[in-house]
Amino acid sequence: KLRGGAYENIAAEEQEPVVTAGLGLNFALVEIDVAGAMSLDKEDVSVGTGGSEEVQKSAGASASITVTF
């Protein structure tokens, strides 16, 4: 199964939506699932000596393997 979506923290006024995606594979007795989420909001982060780089404010990933017996 391929899935995608988005969510937003309505309690936080200055936060952009977060997009999500995942892939689940189901074989007879084994299920494999991977998923990720990334905010659309970016922020500047200091790198090196005096430089900065724009990166996502938040991101996450997960993976699971389930065996049914």
Side-chain angles (χ1 to χ4, degrees):
K1 296 179 183 180
L2 182 62
R3 60 190 182 279
Y7 65 88
E8 185 173 7
N9 182 352
I10 59 174
E13 294 179 14
E14 297 181 13
Q15 183 177 349
E16 295 289 323
V18 175
V19 294
T20 63
L23 175 66
L25 302 173
N26 192 356
F27 306 103
L29 301 174
V30 178
E31 297 176 28
I32 300 171
D33 188 80
V34 293
M38 181 175 61
S39 70
L40 299 177
D41 201 10
K42 294 185 177 184
E43 65 182 339
D44 288 327
V45 176
S46 298
V47 292
T49 54
S52 68
E53 187 174 320
E54 197 172 61
V55 297
Q56 304 313 118
K57 210 166 201 177
S58 66
S62 66
S64 67
I65 298 174
T66 305
V67 179
T68 305
F69 57 94

